[in-house]
Amino acid sequence: MTSTLYTDPTPNDLLASRPSLRMDPRDGLLFEDVPVEHIARELGTPCWITGAGTLRRRAADLKAAFTARDLPMSFHFAMKAQDHQATLRILKDCGYGVDIVSGGEMARALAAGIAPEAIVFSGVGKSDQELRAAIAARIGQINVESVEELYRLAALAEEAPSSDGFRIRVTLRVNPDVDAQTHDKISTGRADDKFGIAYDQALSLYVEAQKFRAIHVIGLAVHLGSQMLAAEPFRRGYERLAEMVRALRSQGQTVEIVDCGGGLGISYRDEIAPAPDMLAGVIAETLGGLDVTIGLEPGRWLAAPTGLFITRVIETKAGNPARGTPDFLIVDGGMNDLARPAMYDSWHGIVPVSPTLAHDTLKPWHVVGPVCESSDVFARNRPLPTKLQRGDLVAFLDAGAYGSVMSSTYNSRPFVAQALVDNGRWSCIRKRQSIAELIAAETLPDWL
């Protein structure tokens, strides 16, 4: 059947636009030429699969868009999107640093071999312990989010004097009051969002920050939001930063870096997603002539298309035709594993794994998980093969960003296994947690 019969793209439409995936007539769905069914049989379901070759290709494509415009760039992967050691190691080898938002992420990055100077620390709620650790590690940059954080960081840096005159490098994260035109829960650059310093306060704070002896203020930072698909919000935000750079320099201040954050969106459903060249063009037009190093912190654009979430059908359940309710497809993965649909009403493509279902007629299904919550719904009225039945495998697409990293053990459902495929080969990179391991992390007080 063709997609013209449905609001949503069909499974074949989705596969046609994803070069790392193809349906083999014998082995079924292949991801980087590895049969997904083989991995599911070995690791069980649900499970995650990450594509190393896909990640390398996207990392290279993103860099190439900026190289073509001869922009002085630094690239840091926003590792909150996907923090597995394998992902970090691959991107390190591609010349990327990381953008972190917690002390735990800093420890993960260092364990993966990321150099301290290649780490940028963002986030609105950095604890004293985290800031001390960042100072001790001499990470490359801390993006300060408030006046209060600046004073606290300066005091902590004073407590850790160095014999060689080291000063921690700092940018001020500006809130430019720009609507990113994305989902409300992933927009970060509006005046009433919790992130950043109001742009009309940042100039005076930048000048004031020069008095601190133990920190080195090097520039400005911004992050407008996530899954952004239009050029205009980027342009407005970066134009505001360019104005601020010129104003600071007119006062005799030095500005070395403008950190542009991330936010470039992808096509999950049928969105018209811009290529990296769009972002490179906007940055070149707004910031390219300022003689600054330009930082970029992509997350979703790099990671999302590199991940699959594989589930097995537990049961099909008849709907209510009199009320127009389609049949239910109940899968063994739940909102505790892939939280995005429950959190943001996010849309993920769903395709069958079996080759025998690839050319089946389609019908609408409600696709739901086993978690005891009404919000454990992945899709409604989704066109999928009519003959899907108990035991069949289905793959959720573009789950590599904010997928496994958001998983929980709600309903005492242990963390699931994860595999890495790499152009024809695969390996398990995280074993499935057992119920016994889940319980073993708990202790009882001696009075019980």
Side-chain angles (χ1 to χ4, degrees):
M1 286 192 169
T2 65
S3 59
T4 57
L5 299 177
Y6 298 98
T7 302
D8 290 319
T10 68
N12 287 337
D13 294 333
L14 294 166
L15 292 178
S17 61
R18 286 157 175 81
S20 297
L21 296 169
R22 66 183 177 91
M23 187 66 73
D24 182 84
R26 182 187 65 182
D27 291 326
L29 184 65
L30 304 182
F31 187 21
E32 295 196 11
D33 293 326
V34 177
V36 167
E37 190 275 334
H38 291 185
I39 297 174
R41 185 171 64 242
E42 291 291 324
L43 299 186
T45 57
C47 66
W48 301 95
I49 307 177
T50 299
T54 309
L55 183 59
R56 291 190 196 98
R57 183 176 66 250
R58 295 185 73 82
D61 289 348
L62 186 68
K63 276 192 168 184
F66 290 87
T67 300
R69 294 181 181 270
D70 198 27
L71 291 167
M73 301 293 300
S74 66
F75 295 90
H76 297 81
F77 172 59
M79 64 177 282
K80 62 182 178 288
Q82 169 54 261
D83 63 9
H84 195 283
Q85 293 285 288
T87 296
L88 302 182
R89 184 66 61 84
I90 290 165
L91 287 172
K92 170 184 175 290
D93 292 344
C94 292
Y96 282 69
V98 294
D99 170 59
I100 65 170
V101 292
S102 74
E105 287 190 347
M106 183 171 70
R108 277 185 171 273
L110 294 171
I114 305 292
E117 59 269 24
I119 297 175
V120 173
F121 197 165
S122 302
V124 72
K126 308 178 191 76
S127 70
D128 286 3
Q129 181 180 0
E130 289 171 325
L131 289 174
R132 287 191 183 101
I135 294 165
R138 298 191 171 194
I139 70 166
Q141 179 179 315
I142 296 179
N143 293 341
V144 167
E145 299 257 358
S146 66
V147 176
E148 295 81 1
E149 183 185 315
L150 177 67
Y151 274 78
R152 189 158 50 90
L153 173 62
L156 293 170
E158 286 279 359
E159 293 173 4
S162 67
S163 59
D164 60 358
F166 171 79
R167 294 187 295 162
I168 193 76
R169 289 158 57 87
V170 169
T171 69
L172 300 188
R173 177 173 175 179
V174 177
N175 184 318
D177 193 17
V178 168
D179 187 344
Q181 299 177 18
T182 187
H183 194 285
D184 177 67
K185 292 185 178 180
I186 52 176
S187 187
T188 59
R190 301 165 300 187
D192 59 351
D193 290 324
K194 69 178 182 178
F195 300 95
I197 301 160
Y199 72 91
D200 55 356
Q201 298 174 2
L203 291 178
S204 60
L205 186 62
Y206 195 97
V207 175
E208 184 180 354
Q210 307 305 318
K211 71 182 181 183
F212 297 116
R213 294 178 300 169
I215 64 174
H216 179 201
V217 182
I218 56 173
L220 302 171
V222 72
H223 177 65
L224 300 169
S226 190
Q227 185 56 9
M228 294 170 62
L229 300 172
E232 191 55 30
F234 285 117
R235 181 174 287 106
R236 292 205 311 274
Y238 299 155
E239 283 175 346
R240 181 148 283 171
L241 258 67
E243 293 168 2
M244 294 176 70
V245 170
R246 287 189 282 267
L248 286 168
R249 286 177 172 169
S250 72
Q251 300 176 45
Q253 299 296 318
T254 299
V255 183
E256 304 172 27
I257 287 176
V258 174
D259 186 336
C260 293
L264 190 62
I266 69 162
S267 179
Y268 285 98
R269 189 179 185 180
D270 52 8
E271 305 94 329
I272 300 174
D277 186 64
M278 178 277 281
L279 184 58
V282 171
I283 288 175
E285 292 166 13
T286 56
L287 302 169
L290 291 179
D291 189 26
V292 292
T293 297
I294 299 167
L296 198 68
E297 294 155 0
R300 181 192 312 273
W301 193 91
L302 286 175
T306 71
L308 299 182
F309 181 52
I310 310 303
T311 65
R312 193 177 296 275
V313 178
I314 296 174
E315 194 66 87
T316 59
K317 175 183 174 182
N320 187 333
R323 294 181 176 271
T325 304
D327 292 346
F328 289 85
L329 202 66
I330 305 171
V331 299
D332 61 2
M335 62 181 282
N336 68 295
D337 302 303
L338 179 59
R340 297 185 68 252
M343 287 184 68
Y344 324 123
D345 298 319
S346 298
W347 196 98
H348 284 272
I350 305 173
V351 300
V353 171
S354 168
T356 62
L357 295 171
H359 302 291
D360 188 19
T361 57
L362 305 178
K363 74 172 190 178
W365 293 87
H366 283 352
V367 184
V368 301
V371 172
C372 193
E373 296 286 346
S374 296
S375 55
D376 189 24
V377 176
F378 292 116
R380 296 188 184 276
N381 296 303
R382 185 66 63 85
L384 289 168
T386 301
K387 294 177 183 176
L388 273 167
Q389 59 184 333
R390 174 176 165 80
D392 285 333
L393 294 169
V394 294
F396 290 74
L397 309 183
D398 304 313
Y402 310 103
S404 61
V405 290
M406 282 187 169
S407 297
S408 76
T409 57
Y410 184 49
N411 282 189
S412 289
R413 293 171 51 82
F415 292 119
V416 306
Q418 188 168 348
L420 185 75
V421 296
D422 195 353
N423 296 313
R425 58 184 175 177
W426 75 276
S427 177
C428 178
I429 57 172
R430 185 177 70 181
K431 71 181 185 69
R432 186 176 304 276
Q433 186 184 37
S434 68
I435 292 289
E437 289 168 332
L438 185 62
I439 297 171
E442 301 172 9
T443 59
L444 294 174
D446 57 11
W447 65 80
L448 289 182

